[in-house]
């Protein structure tokens, strides 16, 4: 039974989708004004693992992630780069898709963009205005927080605490400091759309309410995002959606802890960030995902290159195993032993871990125990039937690859970075064997030494020659 910690109720709850087996999930996506950093990546990767686990459990998941493609930061950047605002957003949307692909994040079903949903957004603001939840001050439309009785429920604070405890922009047009912009009047030179309030653009919060409502209905199962979004962003989404639709908004709220640097949140504004692009140049997607998966998703996690080095070592153990499995399956051996391994026990343990509020750290531990057991059996048995490897691969494909994305059997077919395929190595092994038969030991040694320099270590035994990747 899957349980999820719900930020709204502050408890672990049994997961019961509104309309099983369908699960509708929305995650706040990036504001596309720059390359996203490895802190953002933590939220995107953890949302991906949650989604993949729900699919593993047999749910039919519809996954929506918005792209905020018009906003103050994008406008600022367009001035700095002397580009049109949509040239900026286009550039970073392209970069976003390149980076999430490299991180092996599964694509969302829909990526709605704010600029492509202006009519729906305007419609929702009009409804809020008609119902008395919004007021217009000279072309700026604000949400009237005092009208929404449950404001503060998600963040667990009352209105007075929120006013004193947060840095809220002072604006004389607002009735209450917590009121927030639904529609922003266009200033000179800013992008705008026509509306009944005049030329302007939507506020950030209303985008997510309008787009989640459009694609997932007014009430859906899971809404996710980083911890920083609980207040005010998600609090505001609830206020808007509940007021406009007269029904509850989201059943389970899921929030991801920050990736920190020296215990401080990694963020653009503090300047203490590494872009995902630069980290991906040094580390594999599997290592980055393993690094995230080893921590509980709701807690903080400190970033350092030493920790990523350790994750890379862990990921390469799995990669070595994947290479052996691929090679042995290809041999298709029908003779030899079929060592006993109780895969269903490992599967039960993996499921129990992940069912417990997506305890990926425990899930990872189960995978490494499994890998250790498989390696032991390989070492103990001279010949093993292909069936053994097929069963082992099937389990790892569904869990370590399918849910966590910390092993990749496809990538294991090629040598990291060098683009050499295992077939090529096998070919060199064969040429070396022929050289030895012809007593051309100089050539045989040359092949061995040069391969070693490329990170491929050959091992000779009575059974023939095998190889291992060494970094
Ligand atoms: P943004 O582009 O700033 O709106 O952020 C995109 C996503 O990344 C949101 O879900 C944020 O909550 C999340 N996020 C931002 N900074 C961090 C961080 N340091 N650690 C984890 N998640 C973050
Ligand atoms: Zn959002």
């Amino acid at each position: 039974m899957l349980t999820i910690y719900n930020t709204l109720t502050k408890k672990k709850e049994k997961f019961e989708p509104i309309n099983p087996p369908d699960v509708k999930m929305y995650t706040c996506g990036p504001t596309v004004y720059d390359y996203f950093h490895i802190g953002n990546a933590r939220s995107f990767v953890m949302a991906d693992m949650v989604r993949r686990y729900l699919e593993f459990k047999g749910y039919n998941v519809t996954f929506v992630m918005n792209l905020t493609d018009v906003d103050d930061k994008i406008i600022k950047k367009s001035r700095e780069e002397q580009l049109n605002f949509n040239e900026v957003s286009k550039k970073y949307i392209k970069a976003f898709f390149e980076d999430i692909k490299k991180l092996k994040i599964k694509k969302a079903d829909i990526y709605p963009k704010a600029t492509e949903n202006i009519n729906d957004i305007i419609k929702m603001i009009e409804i809020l205005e008609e119902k008395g939840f919004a007021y217009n001050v000279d072309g700026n439309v604000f949400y009237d927080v005092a009208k929404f009785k449950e404001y503060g429920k998600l963040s667990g604070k009352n209105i007075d605490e929120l006013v004193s405890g947060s840095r809220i922009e002072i604006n004389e047009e607002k009735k209450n400091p917590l009121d927030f912009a639904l529609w922003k009047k266009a200033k000179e030179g800013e992008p705008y759309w026509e509306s009944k309030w005049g030329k302007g653009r939507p506020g950030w919060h209303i985008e997510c309410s309008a787009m989640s409502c459009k694609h997932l209905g007014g009430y859906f199962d899971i809404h996710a995002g980083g911890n920083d979004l609980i207040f005010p962003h998600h609090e505001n989404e609830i206020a808007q959606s509940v007021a406009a639709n007269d029904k509850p908004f989201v059943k389970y709220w899921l929030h991801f802890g920050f990736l920190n640097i020296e215990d401080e949140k990694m963020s653009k504004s503090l300047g203490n960030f590494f872009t995902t692009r630069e980290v991906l140049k040094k580390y594999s997607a599997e290592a980055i995902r393993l690094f995230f998966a080893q921590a509980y998703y709701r807690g903080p996690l400190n970033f350092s290159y030493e920790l990523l080095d350790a994750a890379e070592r862990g990921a390469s153990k799995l990669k070595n195993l994947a290479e052996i499995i691929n090679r042995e399956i290809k041999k298709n051996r029908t003779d030899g032993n079929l060592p006993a391994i109780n895969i269903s026990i490992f599967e039960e343990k993996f499921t129990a871990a992940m069912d417990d509020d997506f305890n990926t750290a425990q899930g990872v531990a189960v995978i490494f125990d499994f890998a250790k057991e498989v390696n032991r059996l390989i070492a103990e048995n001279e010949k093993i039937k292909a069936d053994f490897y097929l069963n082992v691969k099937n389990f790892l494909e569904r869990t370590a690859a399918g849910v966590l994305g910390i092993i990749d059997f496809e990538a294991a077919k090629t040598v990291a970075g060098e683009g050499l395929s295992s077939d090529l190595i096998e070919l060199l092994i064969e040429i070396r064997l022929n050289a030895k038969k012809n007593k051309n030991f100089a050539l045989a040694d040359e092949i061995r030494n040069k391969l070693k320099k490329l990170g491929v270590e050959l091992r000779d035994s009575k059974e023939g020659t095998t190889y291992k990747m060494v970094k």
Side-chain angles (χ1 to χ4, degrees), residues 425 429 432 447-448 451 456-460 465-467:
I425 298 173
I429 290 175
R432 179 168 166 266
I447 291 173
R448 165 197 285 280
L451 276 176
V456 186
E457 195 175 274
L458 300 186
R459 286 174 177 182
D460 295 319
T465 304
T466 56
Y467 71 89

Side-chain angles (χ1 to χ4, degrees), residues 255-320:
H255 289 101
F256 307 116
F258 292 146
L259 186 68
N260 292 334
I261 289 201
E262 289 166 359
D263 296 314
E264 199 163 31
K265 182 196 171 197
M266 184 184 287
S267 76
K268 274 295 293 183
S269 53
L270 291 172
N272 60 348
F273 65 93
F274 296 94
T275 63
T276 303
R277 301 211 136 186
E278 58 183 308
V279 178
L280 273 165
K281 284 199 182 117
K282 300 186 194 119
Y283 297 93
S284 65
E286 286 72 29
I288 297 171
R289 296 179 68 105
L290 178 62
F291 168 62
F292 292 145
Q294 279 169 328
Y296 184 32
Y297 77 84
R298 273 199 308 121
L301 172 63
N302 263 317
F303 175 89
S304 78
Y305 278 124
E306 287 74 32
L307 291 169
L308 272 179
D309 285 338
E312 192 72 83
R313 286 194 290 275
S316 71
K317 279 188 197 157
L318 295 179
K319 189 165 181 235
N320 282 341

